[in-house]
């Protein structure tokens, strides 16, 4: 990390840092050199690179220890995190709002987030849906004709 004048704020220690949101940014450590690395805000996953994702504050200090397979930046008070191959959401106070139950998880905007339902959703597995701030599914994509 560098300040606005370009002076280093920390020693180089992160493999990747995502976008800051609500005072925290996802940061990757321990990845394998030379392996593909996906940008944390992208729709693709990062587990190919190895390592673990956590969250750092504006000083570059971990406030959520590296433990996730992938992580997105905070937006609207929530961030999507991946563990065990599935996504869930955490709040800025680090509490979970959903289990790790989604195949894909987007950002919260206006109190809802787009997700792709996972295996625990039975017949709805793989369909797009929206969840609210409590993690409850409020809309599911209709079945194809």
């Amino acid at each position: 990390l560098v300040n606005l004048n370009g002076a280093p704020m920390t020693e180089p220690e992160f493999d990747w840092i995502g976008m800051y949101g609500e005072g925290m940014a996802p940061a990757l450590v321990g990845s394998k050199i030379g392996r593909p690395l996906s940008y944390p805000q992208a729709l693709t996953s990062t587990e190919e690179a190895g390592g673990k994702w956590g969250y750092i504050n504006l000083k570059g200090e971990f406030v959520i220890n590296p433990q996730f397979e992938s992580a997105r930046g905070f937006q609207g008070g929530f961030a999507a995190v991946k563990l065990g191959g599935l996504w869930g959401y955490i709040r800025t106070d680090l509490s979970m709002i959903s289990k790790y139950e989604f195949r894909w998880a987007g950002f919260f905007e206006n109190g809802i987030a787009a997700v792709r339902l996972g295996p625990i959703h039975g017949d709805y597995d793989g369909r797009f849906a929206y969840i609210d701030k409590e993690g409850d599914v409020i809309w599911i994509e209709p079945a194809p004709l």
Side-chain angles (χ1 to χ4, degrees):
L1 294 175
V2 296
N3 66 19
L4 293 176
N5 298 320
M9 294 173 47
T10 64
E11 293 294 319
E13 61 183 293
F14 307 108
D15 301 330
W16 193 267
I17 299 174
M19 296 187 322
Y20 272 91
E22 303 183 37
M24 292 182 273
L28 176 66
V29 293
S31 66
K32 312 287 187 287
I33 295 174
R35 304 275 312 269
L37 180 64
S38 299
Y39 187 69
Q41 313 305 346
L43 302 183
T44 57
S45 61
T46 57
E47 58 269 315
E48 301 271 285
K52 296 290 180 189
W53 289 88
Y55 287 85
I56 58 173
N57 62 17
L58 295 171
K59 295 178 182 178
E61 304 163 330
F62 275 104
V63 292
I64 301 175
N65 288 328
Q67 58 192 293
F68 305 110
E69 295 165 10
S70 191
R72 300 194 196 290
F74 277 93
Q75 182 174 321
F78 306 94
V81 292
K82 188 175 187 181
L83 198 59
L86 294 171
W87 290 88
Y89 286 90
I90 58 173
R91 294 182 178 96
T92 53
D93 69 3
L94 314 184
S95 61
M96 295 286 301
I97 69 159
S98 71
K99 298 176 240 165
Y100 297 99
E101 59 184 291
F102 306 113
R103 293 190 182 277
W104 176 84
F107 291 96
F108 265 87
E109 191 170 335
N110 298 319
I112 60 172
V115 297
R116 183 168 279 229
L117 299 175
I120 71 165
H121 298 280
D123 292 342
Y124 298 108
D125 184 15
R127 290 196 207 169
F128 279 100
Y130 287 104
I131 62 168
D132 63 17
K133 291 182 178 185
E134 285 75 44
D136 296 325
V137 175
I138 58 173
W139 178 83
I140 299 174
E141 174 184 31
L145 299 175

